[in-house]
PDB file of all heavy atoms in Angstrom:
ATOM      1  N   GLN H1310     -17.632  13.066   2.688  1.00 92.00           N
ATOM      2  CA  GLN H1310     -17.386  13.851   1.480  1.00 92.00           C
ATOM      3  C   GLN H1310     -17.272  12.973   0.230  1.00 92.00           C
ATOM      4  O   GLN H1310     -17.028  13.472  -0.866  1.00 92.00           O
ATOM      5  CB  GLN H1310     -16.097  14.679   1.639  1.00 92.00           C
ATOM      6  CG  GLN H1310     -16.197  15.833   2.631  1.00 92.00           C
ATOM      7  CD  GLN H1310     -16.257  15.352   4.076  1.00 92.00           C
ATOM      8  OE1 GLN H1310     -15.480  14.474   4.470  1.00 92.00           O
ATOM      9  NE2 GLN H1310     -17.148  15.933   4.856  1.00 92.00           N
ATOM     10  N   GLY H1311     -17.453  11.657   0.419  1.00 93.00           N
ATOM     11  CA  GLY H1311     -17.365  10.741  -0.713  1.00 93.00           C
ATOM     12  C   GLY H1311     -15.950  10.369  -1.098  1.00 93.00           C
ATOM     13  O   GLY H1311     -15.721   9.852  -2.197  1.00 93.00           O
ATOM     14  N   GLU H1312     -14.982  10.594  -0.196  1.00 95.00           N
ATOM     15  CA  GLU H1312     -13.587  10.289  -0.473  1.00 95.00           C
ATOM     16  C   GLU H1312     -13.177   8.994   0.237  1.00 95.00           C
ATOM     17  O   GLU H1312     -13.567   8.760   1.380  1.00 95.00           O
ATOM     18  CB  GLU H1312     -12.675  11.416   0.028  1.00 95.00           C
ATOM     19  CG  GLU H1312     -13.003  12.788  -0.512  1.00 95.00           C
ATOM     20  CD  GLU H1312     -12.322  13.879   0.272  1.00 95.00           C
ATOM     21  OE1 GLU H1312     -12.223  13.786   1.521  1.00 95.00           O
ATOM     22  OE2 GLU H1312     -11.866  14.849  -0.373  1.00 95.00           O
ATOM     23  N   TRP H1313     -12.387   8.185  -0.449  1.00 97.00           N
ATOM     24  CA  TRP H1313     -11.817   7.015   0.195  1.00 97.00           C
ATOM     25  C   TRP H1313     -10.685   7.455   1.116  1.00 97.00           C
ATOM     26  O   TRP H1313      -9.787   8.185   0.709  1.00 97.00           O
ATOM     27  CB  TRP H1313     -11.257   6.046  -0.847  1.00 97.00           C
ATOM     28  CG  TRP H1313     -12.291   5.231  -1.549  1.00 97.00           C
ATOM     29  CD1 TRP H1313     -12.763   5.415  -2.812  1.00 97.00           C
ATOM     30  CD2 TRP H1313     -12.966   4.076  -1.036  1.00 97.00           C
ATOM     31  NE1 TRP H1313     -13.698   4.455  -3.119  1.00 97.00           N
ATOM     32  CE2 TRP H1313     -13.837   3.612  -2.047  1.00 97.00           C
ATOM     33  CE3 TRP H1313     -12.919   3.374   0.170  1.00 97.00           C
ATOM     34  CZ2 TRP H1313     -14.653   2.494  -1.890  1.00 97.00           C
ATOM     35  CZ3 TRP H1313     -13.727   2.262   0.341  1.00 97.00           C
ATOM     36  CH2 TRP H1313     -14.579   1.834  -0.679  1.00 97.00           C
ATOM     37  N   LYS H1314     -10.743   7.010   2.372  1.00 97.00           N
ATOM     38  CA  LYS H1314      -9.700   7.326   3.348  1.00 97.00           C
ATOM     39  C   LYS H1314      -9.233   6.038   4.029  1.00 97.00           C
ATOM     40  O   LYS H1314     -10.026   5.128   4.284  1.00 97.00           O
ATOM     41  CB  LYS H1314     -10.208   8.310   4.399  1.00 97.00           C
ATOM     42  CG  LYS H1314     -10.468   9.723   3.864  1.00 97.00           C
ATOM     43  CD  LYS H1314      -9.167  10.420   3.476  1.00 97.00           C
ATOM     44  CE  LYS H1314      -9.424  11.847   3.042  1.00 97.00           C
ATOM     45  NZ  LYS H1314      -8.158  12.552   2.713  1.00 97.00           N
ATOM     46  N   ASN H1315      -7.947   6.002   4.347  1.00 98.00           N
ATOM     47  CA  ASN H1315      -7.330   4.832   4.956  1.00 98.00           C
ATOM     48  C   ASN H1315      -7.603   4.815   6.461  1.00 98.00           C
ATOM     49  O   ASN H1315      -7.268   5.764   7.169  1.00 98.00           O
ATOM     50  CB  ASN H1315      -5.819   4.874   4.684  1.00 98.00           C
ATOM     51  CG  ASN H1315      -5.121   3.580   5.014  1.00 98.00           C
ATOM     52  OD1 ASN H1315      -5.456   2.912   5.988  1.00 98.00           O
ATOM     53  ND2 ASN H1315      -4.114   3.233   4.229  1.00 98.00           N
ATOM     54  N   LEU H1316      -8.219   3.729   6.927  1.00 98.00           N
ATOM     55  CA  LEU H1316      -8.572   3.613   8.346  1.00 98.00           C
ATOM     56  C   LEU H1316      -7.513   2.900   9.182  1.00 98.00           C
ATOM     57  O   LEU H1316      -7.407   3.142  10.389  1.00 98.00           O
ATOM     58  CB  LEU H1316      -9.883   2.826   8.487  1.00 98.00           C
ATOM     59  CG  LEU H1316     -11.183   3.592   8.352  1.00 98.00           C
ATOM     60  CD1 LEU H1316     -12.349   2.607   8.396  1.00 98.00           C
ATOM     61  CD2 LEU H1316     -11.332   4.630   9.452  1.00 98.00           C
ATOM     62  N   ALA H1317      -6.769   2.005   8.564  1.00 98.00           N
ATOM     63  CA  ALA H1317      -5.747   1.250   9.299  1.00 98.00           C
ATOM     64  C   ALA H1317      -4.706   0.767   8.313  1.00 98.00           C
ATOM     65  O   ALA H1317      -5.037   0.324   7.209  1.00 98.00           O
ATOM     66  CB  ALA H1317      -6.362   0.064  10.040  1.00 98.00           C
ATOM     67  N   ASP H1318      -3.428   0.850   8.717  1.00 98.00           N
ATOM     68  CA  ASP H1318      -2.342   0.505   7.814  1.00 98.00           C
ATOM     69  C   ASP H1318      -1.253  -0.230   8.580  1.00 98.00           C
ATOM     70  O   ASP H1318      -0.690   0.308   9.524  1.00 98.00           O
ATOM     71  CB  ASP H1318      -1.778   1.775   7.169  1.00 98.00           C
ATOM     72  CG  ASP H1318      -0.780   1.474   6.073  1.00 98.00           C
ATOM     73  OD1 ASP H1318       0.407   1.284   6.399  1.00 98.00           O
ATOM     74  OD2 ASP H1318      -1.172   1.421   4.899  1.00 98.00           O
ATOM     75  N   LEU H1319      -0.981  -1.471   8.187  1.00 98.00           N
ATOM     76  CA  LEU H1319       0.050  -2.268   8.849  1.00 98.00           C
ATOM     77  C   LEU H1319       0.809  -3.074   7.804  1.00 98.00           C
ATOM     78  O   LEU H1319       0.208  -3.778   6.999  1.00 98.00           O
ATOM     79  CB  LEU H1319      -0.577  -3.222   9.872  1.00 98.00           C
ATOM     80  CG  LEU H1319       0.389  -4.139  10.638  1.00 98.00           C
ATOM     81  CD1 LEU H1319       1.363  -3.328  11.489  1.00 98.00           C
ATOM     82  CD2 LEU H1319      -0.400  -5.104  11.517  1.00 98.00           C
ATOM     83  N   GLY H1320       2.142  -2.963   7.813  1.00 97.00           N
ATOM     84  CA  GLY H1320       2.967  -3.676   6.849  1.00 97.00           C
ATOM     85  C   GLY H1320       3.793  -4.763   7.492  1.00 97.00           C
ATOM     86  O   GLY H1320       4.120  -4.703   8.682  1.00 97.00           O
ATOM     87  N   SER H1321       4.126  -5.778   6.706  1.00 97.00           N
ATOM     88  CA  SER H1321       5.056  -6.818   7.136  1.00 97.00           C
ATOM     89  C   SER H1321       6.303  -6.709   6.269  1.00 97.00           C
ATOM     90  O   SER H1321       6.216  -6.412   5.080  1.00 97.00           O
ATOM     91  CB  SER H1321       4.425  -8.212   7.001  1.00 97.00           C
ATOM     92  OG  SER H1321       4.044  -8.459   5.662  1.00 97.00           O
ATOM     93  N   SER H1322       7.475  -6.930   6.854  1.00 95.00           N
ATOM     94  CA  SER H1322       8.733  -6.763   6.131  1.00 95.00           C
ATOM     95  C   SER H1322       9.256  -8.092   5.619  1.00 95.00           C
ATOM     96  O   SER H1322       9.006  -9.152   6.199  1.00 95.00           O
ATOM     97  CB  SER H1322       9.776  -6.110   7.038  1.00 95.00           C
ATOM     98  OG  SER H1322      10.016  -6.923   8.177  1.00 95.00           O
ATOM     99  N   SER H1323      10.010  -8.024   4.504  1.00 93.00           N
ATOM    100  CA  SER H1323      10.580  -9.225   3.901  1.00 93.00           C
ATOM    101  C   SER H1323      11.735  -8.829   2.997  1.00 93.00           C
ATOM    102  O   SER H1323      11.738  -7.734   2.427  1.00 93.00           O
ATOM    103  CB  SER H1323       9.520  -9.978   3.089  1.00 93.00           C
ATOM    104  OG  SER H1323      10.095 -10.989   2.298  1.00 93.00           O
ATOM    105  N   ASN H1324      12.724  -9.697   2.841  1.00 89.00           N
ATOM    106  CA  ASN H1324      13.835  -9.457   1.929  1.00 89.00           C
ATOM    107  C   ASN H1324      13.596 -10.061   0.552  1.00 89.00           C
ATOM    108  O   ASN H1324      14.426  -9.937  -0.341  1.00 89.00           O
ATOM    109  CB  ASN H1324      15.130 -10.035   2.518  1.00 89.00           C
ATOM    110  CG  ASN H1324      15.591  -9.286   3.746  1.00 89.00           C
ATOM    111  OD1 ASN H1324      15.451  -8.067   3.827  1.00 89.00           O
ATOM    112  ND2 ASN H1324      16.136 -10.010   4.719  1.00 89.00           N
ATOM    113  N   HIS H1325      12.455 -10.713   0.382  1.00 89.00           N
ATOM    114  CA  HIS H1325      12.152 -11.354  -0.899  1.00 89.00           C
ATOM    115  C   HIS H1325      11.744 -10.312  -1.941  1.00 89.00           C
ATOM    116  O   HIS H1325      10.871  -9.478  -1.695  1.00 89.00           O
ATOM    117  CB  HIS H1325      11.016 -12.366  -0.731  1.00 89.00           C
ATOM    118  CG  HIS H1325      11.359 -13.511   0.170  1.00 89.00           C
ATOM    119  ND1 HIS H1325      12.080 -14.600  -0.260  1.00 89.00           N
ATOM    120  CD2 HIS H1325      11.088 -13.734   1.480  1.00 89.00           C
ATOM    121  CE1 HIS H1325      12.235 -15.456   0.741  1.00 89.00           C
ATOM    122  NE2 HIS H1325      11.641 -14.952   1.807  1.00 89.00           N
ATOM    123  N   SER H1326      12.379 -10.372  -3.113  1.00 86.00           N
ATOM    124  CA  SER H1326      11.962  -9.498  -4.207  1.00 86.00           C
ATOM    125  C   SER H1326      10.691 -10.063  -4.833  1.00 86.00           C
ATOM    126  O   SER H1326      10.436 -11.269  -4.777  1.00 86.00           O
ATOM    127  CB  SER H1326      13.066  -9.393  -5.261  1.00 86.00           C
ATOM    128  OG  SER H1326      13.373 -10.666  -5.786  1.00 86.00           O
ATOM    129  N   VAL H1327       9.893  -9.181  -5.416  1.00 81.00           N
ATOM    130  CA  VAL H1327       8.631  -9.610  -6.012  1.00 81.00           C
ATOM    131  C   VAL H1327       8.541  -9.102  -7.441  1.00 81.00           C
ATOM    132  O   VAL H1327       9.170  -8.113  -7.809  1.00 81.00           O
ATOM    133  CB  VAL H1327       7.424  -9.094  -5.195  1.00 81.00           C
ATOM    134  CG1 VAL H1327       7.421  -9.698  -3.814  1.00 81.00           C
ATOM    135  CG2 VAL H1327       7.435  -7.573  -5.106  1.00 81.00           C
ATOM    136  N   THR H1328       7.758  -9.785  -8.253  1.00 85.00           N
ATOM    137  CA  THR H1328       7.521  -9.348  -9.626  1.00 85.00           C
ATOM    138  C   THR H1328       6.367  -8.342  -9.633  1.00 85.00           C
ATOM    139  O   THR H1328       5.502  -8.364  -8.745  1.00 85.00           O
ATOM    140  CB  THR H1328       7.167 -10.542 -10.521  1.00 85.00           C
ATOM    141  OG1 THR H1328       6.020 -11.211  -9.969  1.00 85.00           O
ATOM    142  CG2 THR H1328       8.331 -11.518 -10.593  1.00 85.00           C
ATOM    143  N   PRO H1329       6.340  -7.439 -10.615  1.00 90.00           N
ATOM    144  CA  PRO H1329       5.238  -6.461 -10.687  1.00 90.00           C
ATOM    145  C   PRO H1329       3.878  -7.156 -10.764  1.00 90.00           C
ATOM    146  O   PRO H1329       3.746  -8.233 -11.342  1.00 90.00           O
ATOM    147  CB  PRO H1329       5.542  -5.690 -11.976  1.00 90.00           C
ATOM    148  CG  PRO H1329       7.016  -5.847 -12.175  1.00 90.00           C
ATOM    149  CD  PRO H1329       7.341  -7.222 -11.678  1.00 90.00           C
ATOM    150  N   VAL H1330       2.886  -6.537 -10.153  1.00 94.00           N
ATOM    151  CA  VAL H1330       1.533  -7.082 -10.157  1.00 94.00           C
ATOM    152  C   VAL H1330       0.948  -6.988 -11.573  1.00 94.00           C
ATOM    153  O   VAL H1330       0.913  -5.908 -12.160  1.00 94.00           O
ATOM    154  CB  VAL H1330       0.633  -6.325  -9.160  1.00 94.00           C
ATOM    155  CG1 VAL H1330      -0.800  -6.834  -9.254  1.00 94.00           C
ATOM    156  CG2 VAL H1330       1.177  -6.461  -7.748  1.00 94.00           C
ATOM    157  N   GLN H1331       0.499  -8.102 -12.102  1.00 93.00           N
ATOM    158  CA  GLN H1331      -0.083  -8.126 -13.442  1.00 93.00           C
ATOM    159  C   GLN H1331      -1.576  -7.810 -13.416  1.00 93.00           C
ATOM    160  O   GLN H1331      -2.102  -7.132 -14.299  1.00 93.00           O
ATOM    161  CB  GLN H1331       0.141  -9.500 -14.087  1.00 93.00           C
ATOM    162  CG  GLN H1331       1.603  -9.871 -14.261  1.00 93.00           C
ATOM    163  CD  GLN H1331       2.365  -8.902 -15.129  1.00 93.00           C
ATOM    164  OE1 GLN H1331       1.893  -8.498 -16.195  1.00 93.00           O
ATOM    165  NE2 GLN H1331       3.549  -8.506 -14.673  1.00 93.00           N
ATOM    166  N   GLN H1332      -2.254  -8.295 -12.374  1.00 96.00           N
ATOM    167  CA  GLN H1332      -3.693  -8.060 -12.254  1.00 96.00           C
ATOM    168  C   GLN H1332      -4.097  -8.148 -10.800  1.00 96.00           C
ATOM    169  O   GLN H1332      -3.640  -9.042 -10.072  1.00 96.00           O
ATOM    170  CB  GLN H1332      -4.476  -9.082 -13.074  1.00 96.00           C
ATOM    171  CG  GLN H1332      -5.979  -8.869 -13.067  1.00 96.00           C
ATOM    172  CD  GLN H1332      -6.701  -9.857 -13.969  1.00 96.00           C
ATOM    173  OE1 GLN H1332      -6.084 -10.742 -14.557  1.00 96.00           O
ATOM    174  NE2 GLN H1332      -8.009  -9.706 -14.087  1.00 96.00           N
ATOM    175  N   VAL H1333      -4.927  -7.225 -10.360  1.00 97.00           N
ATOM    176  CA  VAL H1333      -5.397  -7.221  -8.982  1.00 97.00           C
ATOM    177  C   VAL H1333      -6.494  -8.267  -8.820  1.00 97.00           C
ATOM    178  O   VAL H1333      -7.475  -8.282  -9.577  1.00 97.00           O
ATOM    179  CB  VAL H1333      -5.943  -5.835  -8.579  1.00 97.00           C
ATOM    180  CG1 VAL H1333      -6.405  -5.849  -7.124  1.00 97.00           C
ATOM    181  CG2 VAL H1333      -4.876  -4.759  -8.776  1.00 97.00           C
ATOM    182  N   LYS H1334      -6.321  -9.153  -7.860  1.00 98.00           N
ATOM    183  CA  LYS H1334      -7.365 -10.122  -7.545  1.00 98.00           C
ATOM    184  C   LYS H1334      -8.460  -9.412  -6.758  1.00 98.00           C
ATOM    185  O   LYS H1334      -8.171  -8.708  -5.787  1.00 98.00           O
ATOM    186  CB  LYS H1334      -6.784 -11.285  -6.741  1.00 98.00           C
ATOM    187  CG  LYS H1334      -5.740 -12.088  -7.504  1.00 98.00           C
ATOM    188  CD  LYS H1334      -5.172 -13.217  -6.657  1.00 98.00           C
ATOM    189  CE  LYS H1334      -4.108 -13.989  -7.425  1.00 98.00           C
ATOM    190  NZ  LYS H1334      -3.522 -15.073  -6.603  1.00 98.00           N
TER     191      LYS H1334
END
């Protein structure tokens, strides 16, 4: 249908805080 769909999703956990993303590489 021309739609982007997620095929696989896996996250890693961390207690480190991060700064907002300024630009996507």
Side-chain angles (χ1 to χ4, degrees):
Q1310 290 72 45
E1312 304 165 321
W1313 283 104
K1314 291 292 184 178
N1315 192 323
L1316 275 175
D1318 188 275
L1319 179 63
S1321 59
S1322 60
S1323 169
N1324 292 323
H1325 296 279
S1326 59
V1327 296
T1328 57
V1330 176
Q1331 299 300 315
Q1332 183 176 3
V1333 181
K1334 297 179 181 179

